Amino acid sequence: MYNTHSGNLIGNTPHSKPASSNLATPKELMSFKMASQYYQEMQDSFKNNNKSREFPAHTAKVHSVAWSCDGRRLASGSFDKTASVFILEKDRLVKENNYRGHGDSVDQLCWHPTNPDLFVTASGDKTIRIWDVRTTKCIATVNTKGENINICWSPDGQTIAVGNKDDVVTFIDAKTHRSKAEEQFKFEVNEISWNNDNDMFFLTNGNGCINILSYPELKPIQSINAHPSNCICIKFDPTGKYFATGSADALVSLWNVEELVCVRCFSRLDWPVRTLSFSHDGKMLASASEDHFIDIAEVETGEKLWEVQCDSPTFTVAWHPKRPLLAYACDDKEGKYDNNREAGTVKLFGLPNDS
């Protein structure tokens, strides 16, 4: 790990301490005690609720899944140019609608942070579309300059940021649907996100760095050397205490938001980390890659809580905003014999074993 200020290597582990402070403080001991109690509770819970079910969603690969803020609906975006929305009914997903209109793959989508009826999709067709599940219609199509691959909605709901393949990030007013600002970056921009306080904007880049800009000024604040290779994804935990990044080095690193220091790494995956999600209480972190499992870690200790077995690489994971239910999508093929057809299914983990 690198010292974020000097760029120097500091110790063997991201949470190594100076020799003088090897003893844990009472606060840390209490935190670990609470963590181990939580660990036991969740282990017991998953022993009875570790079933995964799959639900047909698309005719091609699913790139993105996301829950509405109230947890009633799950949306998925696919290579088949559509988005699908499901309603969560007890232990299953029931397809509500399919959303058509994009002329190219739907690469990423996200819901409005506080309105459970609105979601937005980013597509390679050089547009983003805002959809309303009450009317099942596209309420706005916004033209952008390039093929869009990343999208996020600001925590205050006022702005949508979209990143394209040319490393341009456009900030769009969610009410007027007009561009407010546009930034061209000189590095490969991967995932983008506001912090929970809405006053900083984060980008992960191809050089292994996390770039932090002030918001709304978009002035550079800091560039953190987070990983030795491509830094792919970033997620903030719902409590605002941590954010996590996933990298091509197969590591997930956990960062303290206030101090911007790495507090620990998760290293159970062998392939580039593609997707991350914190549970609703901020205490679990799911990460996935081309490994045929999803790693579920306890945030405070880094210990493995559970492993969700998959038959193929996983592209996207999303914890439910209120329950220990994990939605995800893999690179599935239709049937064991026809390897050319993609399945386009959405999966749900955390269902009762007897469901």
Side-chain angles (χ1 to χ4, degrees):
M1 176 227 164
Y2 287 87
N3 181 316
T4 52
H5 304 294
S6 68
N8 297 328
L9 214 56
I10 52 164
N12 299 324
T13 61
H15 51 288
S16 59
K17 295 182 175 179
S20 60
S21 62
N22 275 340
L23 293 172
T25 64
K27 191 176 174 185
E28 284 172 325
L29 284 171
M30 179 62 81
S31 172
F32 273 102
K33 196 173 178 183
M34 285 167 64
S36 60
Q37 186 184 337
Y38 180 84
Y39 181 88
Q40 202 52 56
E41 283 170 14
M42 291 316 300
Q43 283 259 304
D44 294 343
S45 173
F46 287 142
K47 275 172 190 158
N48 299 315
N49 301 276
N50 62 40
K51 187 173 178 181
S52 284
R53 285 180 72 178
E54 56 181 58
F55 304 89
H58 297 274
T59 57
K61 197 180 289 183
V62 178
H63 287 308
S64 183
V65 292
W67 294 98
S68 58
C69 60
D70 62 359
R72 280 196 65 222
R73 290 182 170 89
L74 180 80
S76 58
S78 166
F79 186 72
D80 71 4
K81 307 176 187 176
T82 71
S84 287
V85 170
F86 294 84
I87 289 181
L88 178 64
E89 285 186 7
K90 203 172 173 215
D91 296 329
R92 64 195 185 112
L93 293 169
V94 178
K95 176 80 89 71
E96 184 181 45
N97 267 305
N98 202 240
Y99 293 80
R100 300 176 185 281
H102 278 299
D104 203 342
S105 170
V106 177
D107 275 6
Q108 207 174 36
L109 53 78
C110 62
W111 291 83
H112 188 288
T114 54
N115 182 338
D117 298 318
L118 299 180
F119 71 98
V120 62
T121 48
S123 170
D125 66 3
K126 301 185 179 180
T127 69
I128 67 163
R129 286 175 177 250
I130 303 172
W131 310 86
D132 189 326
V133 295
R134 293 164 299 190
T135 62
T136 71
K137 287 191 172 67
C138 172
I139 57 170
T141 302
V142 183
N143 292 310
T144 58
K145 286 186 175 172
E147 296 176 42
N148 301 311
I149 50 174
N150 277 311
I151 197 157
C152 60
W153 213 310
S154 64
D156 64 8
Q158 292 180 16
T159 313
I160 296 164
V162 57
N164 69 27
K165 285 184 178 176
D166 302 318
D167 308 314
V168 174
V169 177
T170 306
F171 294 85
I172 294 157
D173 188 304
K175 280 202 176 74
T176 65
H177 310 135
R178 296 217 170 112
S179 170
K180 296 201 285 190
E182 198 174 79
E183 289 285 318
Q184 168 76 64
F185 293 93
K186 292 188 172 72
F187 46 75
E188 177 189 314
V189 174
N190 291 321
E191 206 156 52
I192 51 179
S193 178
W194 274 270
N195 65 336
N196 296 16
D197 291 337
N198 216 106
D199 60 359
M200 289 194 284
F201 192 76
F202 287 63
L203 310 95
T204 58
N205 78 27
N207 306 322
C209 294
I210 304 162
N211 290 82
I212 307 169
L213 310 176
S214 62
Y215 187 81
E217 303 82 11
L218 300 176
K219 295 280 184 282
I221 294 176
Q222 196 167 349
S223 176
I224 301 171
N225 290 318
H227 293 268
S229 55
N230 199 331
C231 194
I232 298 168
C233 45
I234 184 167
K235 278 288 179 297
F236 282 78
D237 96 68
T239 72
K241 184 178 180 184
Y242 298 120
F243 67 90
T245 57
S247 165
D249 61 11
L251 291 176
V252 175
S253 55
L254 184 74
W255 299 78
N256 178 296
V257 170
E258 277 191 21
E259 296 171 17
L260 294 177
V261 294
C262 180
V263 289
R264 75 185 47 87
C265 280
F266 307 85
S267 58
R268 286 180 289 272
L269 297 170
D270 290 327
W271 291 86
V273 183
R274 294 180 175 187
T275 176
L276 299 165
S277 181
F278 281 97
S279 56
H280 67 94
D281 54 10
K283 292 180 177 179
M284 291 188 288
L285 179 61
S287 52
S289 63
E290 287 176 55
D291 290 273
H292 287 191
F293 67 90
I294 299 166
D295 183 73
I296 298 177
E298 185 182 32
V299 170
E300 285 299 343
T301 62
E303 283 191 69
K304 180 169 81 173
L305 248 175
W306 205 262
E307 202 173 86
V308 183
Q309 294 301 317
C310 310
D311 294 328
S312 51
T314 302
F315 293 115
T316 175
V317 294
W319 282 110
H320 187 274
K322 294 175 182 175
R323 295 167 56 188
L325 273 179
L326 186 73
Y328 62 103
C330 304
D331 184 11
D332 291 332
K333 301 298 179 193
E334 190 78 71
K336 290 188 170 68
Y337 307 106
D338 183 0
N339 277 334
N340 298 320
R341 285 201 55 205
E342 292 169 347
T345 55
V346 166
K347 297 178 171 64
L348 205 51
F349 162 80
L351 300 172
N353 296 354
D354 53 7
S355 65

